[in-house]
Amino acid sequence: MAAHWPDDIMKKVVALCKRRGFVFQSSEIYDGLKSAYDYGPLGSELKRNLMNEWWADMVTTRENVVGIDASIIMKADVWRASGHAAGFSDPLVDCFISKERFRADKAPRPEAGADLPILCADKGQAKSYQALIQKMHNIELSRSGKELAGLRVSDDGKHVEFNGTALVDYSGYVSPCIGSPFLSEERSFNLMFKTNIGAVDPMNDASQTLAELSAAEDLTAAIQERFAGNCKRKDAPITKALARVSDGAVPEKDVRAFLIRAVIEQITFNSTVYLRPETAQAMFVQFKNVMETSGQKPPFGIAQMGKSFRNEVTVEHFIFRSCEFEQMELEFFCEPGTQLEWMEYWKDQRMNFWKRYANYPDEFMFRKHEDDELAHYADGCYDVEYKYPWGWDELEGIASRTDHDLHEHEIHSGTKLRYVDQEKEDPETGKKPWSYRPFVIEPSAGATRGLLVYLLDAYHEETRTDAKGKEVTRTVMKFHPKLAPIKCAVLPLVGKDGMPEKAREIIASMQAAGIPAKYDQKGSIGKRYAKHDEVGTPSCITIDGQTLEDGTVTIRDRDTTEQVRITIDQIIPRVKAQLGL
RNA sequence: GCCGGUAUAGCAUAGUGGUAAUGCAACAGCCUUCCAAGCUGAAGACGAGGGUUCGAUUCCCUCUACCGGUUCCA
């Protein structure tokens, strides 16, 4: 944990966010909505500042990167091509004993005839699991320390046995945590937010159709009759479902529910759209349009910032992992063979970016993905990690995705997604021109995670002794001036003697110079300083009696609390310099 | 999801089977010449639903949300 943090840093940051209007819980007056957050007056400024910095760094200061702003609602075909519709529907399984939830495809797979020891965390847990299994299956496993023995996979691999008697069906795997074979059915993980486009709710049609079909004696025949037209299409949900049923792939008891589900899917098929689970796909899908209209050619990038939506297995740590989040992504298209050099380049660029605005740059690091951790199409991936209060965790992923995405969209859409290089020879044929699908480097950052990182990085508590000898704590958010939601506060020392008027005058001149300055007259001067420390305002200008006499003001630094007296015409250049304008 | 914990005003704490107190903050005003000063005033809460009860914020159940663990991602 960083030295500048108190123990309960998360609690304090969350409280400050609410108290000062950075982040509120969504739908709070209706009891709140899980894992959704609203950014208040200061939070929306902070987020906008961060995202503007990213956009400036990635797009407006580079000749070979252009931006897009795509629709959040995208056609289902996009997600079938990207693999999100299928590949992300990971089969999840619950262990009835330990209650853990895990991915079936990642679980250990003891073979036929193997013993199935259940390994618990400690003796107490072993005892309670032993009792639970006895209650559920009426068997007593032998316990040795924290291990329970007696179960094995039958020789044909179909059952879990105890003393030669089949107890339950064997799923082919056991739970990763304790090795239990007492598991629920596989259920797919609903990654994407699905919705329907169109003014008429497709559920009207679905319920009507189901009411008619469910009256039929032979459901399969009734479906075939009702969907005769759709059944001719091989990729129609109803066609696939009927085929699975006739293959016997669906257990008898589940057939009816399975078919009813397929009917609903068929009816909603054409109106189904998804909220994007990542901003990346639009950049692949619009690759051709963007390249042709912007005059770009590889190496070049398409950048996008915006919201994405995922149903998470678990949401946690405030805004760190939420269902609705905001991304800042670049897809950088380059010549095949040059991708790893570009990855090194973007790694540096991105790490420099995060460190630039941080008080503690050493709390960022790279983590290289091991080969077995990489997606099958990727040929390299680094995460930028931050040292959160709960440990190192991800902030940005920089992946080398080969030409996988463009390739998939070529296949699914039938549109060529290539660049034709007139100057170069195709390495395979040796002939000009070279038509290739660019390889892609993808630096994909979480904007809302970045926000959390800088909230944590900025949070400081300083204890000092006040005039009465009492210990007081100063909470100060040491935001980088570029990120600070309020850039400068102008404070009349007291609300009379022409000080407010003078302050308003100064604010008007600052705003005319492009500095968003805020007026604040509420409460004593000390309170106002404390409040602006807490929201991270880098400097406060104070108008006092002397201002009216000689045209000087004091300017106070947030981090040191030191004040210097300057003339009014020095204010703008000084504040501008601090903001890097 | 699951396990454990929590839920009283914006925040922090009281308290009670007969609907709630205090401090800070916020708001209006007065006063105030540099680091959360003072005075006055007004406002604001028992997370939601159900049950037991004459009566529930308090006891019971359910739900919702949050925090900590467990697993997927930006």
Side-chain angles (χ1 to χ4, degrees), chain A residues 267-563:
Chain A
I267 289 168
T268 57
F269 188 65
N270 287 320
S271 67
T272 295
V273 290
Y274 293 98
L275 306 188
R276 63 186 179 201
E278 60 176 32
T279 56
Q281 292 305 321
M283 295 184 268
F284 297 126
V285 170
Q286 295 292 6
F287 165 78
K288 192 170 183 284
N289 277 336
V290 172
M291 184 167 68
E292 285 178 0
T293 56
S294 66
Q296 294 286 349
K297 59 180 186 182
F300 84 103
I302 305 179
Q304 181 172 213
M305 311 187 295
K307 301 257 186 175
S308 294
F309 302 82
R310 294 182 190 175
N311 281 307
E312 299 290 348
V313 176
T314 308
V315 292
E316 58 183 10
H317 299 311
F318 192 41
I319 57 175
F320 178 77
R321 183 183 290 123
S322 49
C323 294
E324 175 176 343
F325 60 104
E326 202 138 7
Q327 294 187 292
M328 306 185 291
E329 285 196 302
L330 172 72
E331 305 301 329
F332 192 78
F333 301 92
C334 63
E335 203 179 288
T338 64
Q339 69 271 21
L340 294 180
E341 293 160 41
W342 282 112
M343 185 157 83
E344 287 303 313
Y345 172 80
W346 286 111
K347 267 177 65 189
D348 281 352
Q349 294 288 305
R350 297 305 307 143
M351 184 58 94
N352 291 342
F353 175 88
W354 291 115
K355 291 188 172 188
R356 193 177 306 152
Y357 307 97
N359 293 298
Y360 302 91
D362 291 345
E363 288 173 6
F364 296 81
M365 70 165 190
F366 283 116
R367 188 179 69 81
K368 186 183 196 303
H369 281 222
E370 298 305 325
D371 289 347
D372 61 356
E373 201 181 342
L374 290 174
H376 67 274
Y377 48 80
D379 67 353
C381 186
Y382 287 84
D383 283 346
V384 176
E385 295 202 330
Y386 178 71
K387 202 174 180 178
Y388 296 93
W390 59 89
W392 289 98
D393 212 335
E394 189 173 352
L395 168 62
E396 171 162 359
I398 299 156
S400 176
R401 298 177 64 87
T402 68
D403 62 344
H404 171 77
D405 301 278
L406 292 178
H407 194 185
E408 288 298 320
H409 286 301
E410 269 196 354
I411 293 169
H412 285 82
S413 69
T415 302
K416 288 250 183 290
L417 299 173
R418 295 168 186 235
Y419 174 67
V420 180
D421 191 330
Q422 306 289 349
E423 304 296 313
K424 287 196 177 163
E425 293 162 359
D426 187 320
E428 283 184 24
T429 64
K431 290 183 192 157
K432 286 184 191 174
W434 182 20
S435 166
Y436 63 86
R437 276 189 304 270
F439 274 39
V440 171
I441 302 299
E442 179 190 82
S444 171
T448 30
R449 283 189 182 175
L451 199 68
L452 177 60
V453 164
Y454 288 124
L455 283 164
L456 290 165
D457 178 79
Y459 190 92
H460 288 75
E461 283 181 357
E462 290 168 5
T463 311
R464 60 181 176 77
T465 312
D466 72 3
K468 295 173 197 155
K470 202 173 69 179
E471 284 233 319
V472 291
T473 301
R474 183 174 87 109
T475 302
V476 51
M477 294 300 280
K478 296 188 178 178
F479 292 126
H480 189 284
K482 295 258 198 194
L483 301 185
I486 299 173
K487 304 299 185 190
C488 185
V490 180
L491 319 170
L493 187 60
V494 291
K496 60 175 189 181
D497 300 339
M499 291 181 208
E501 292 77 7
K502 196 73 198 168
R504 298 277 188 201
E505 241 176 67
I506 291 171
I507 286 178
S509 67
M510 291 176 80
Q511 287 182 340
I515 301 165
K518 292 274 185 220
Y519 179 83
D520 194 350
Q521 194 194 313
K522 296 214 175 90
S524 71
I525 191 68
K527 273 189 186 178
R528 281 176 276 165
Y529 287 149
K531 177 187 149 193
H532 282 286
D533 286 343
E534 214 173 74
V535 302
T537 307
S539 49
C540 292
I541 308 279
T542 303
I543 315 305
D544 56 16
Q546 197 180 330
T547 308
L548 307 164
E549 289 163 21
D550 65 7
T552 62
V553 297
T554 61
I555 181 164
R556 171 186 180 273
D557 180 75
R558 174 195 70 196
D559 298 342
T560 63
T561 76
E562 278 167 13
Q563 285 179 289

Side-chain angles (χ1 to χ4, degrees), chain A residues 11-26:
Chain A
K11 203 179 168 200
K12 290 194 162 164
V13 166
V14 172
L16 186 145
C17 280
K18 179 169 184 187
R19 188 168 69 246
R20 292 303 185 186
F22 285 94
V23 184
F24 307 121
Q25 192 182 7
S26 166

Side-chain angles (χ1 to χ4, degrees), chain A residues 139-190:
Chain A
I139 57 167
E140 183 150 4
L141 298 178
S142 61
R143 187 180 64 78
S144 156
K146 54 186 183 180
E147 191 172 323
L148 302 174
L151 296 170
R152 66 186 288 274
V153 185
S154 63
D155 291 328
D156 62 3
K158 286 187 177 168
H159 300 100
V160 176
E161 292 180 343
F162 177 70
N163 285 343
T165 313
L167 274 182
V168 293
D169 289 345
Y170 179 54
S171 325
Y173 47 82
V174 296
S175 69
C177 180
I178 62 165
S180 148
F182 302 112
L183 307 170
S184 72
E185 305 267 300
E186 292 181 12
R187 284 179 296 185
S188 37
F189 164 31
N190 181 26

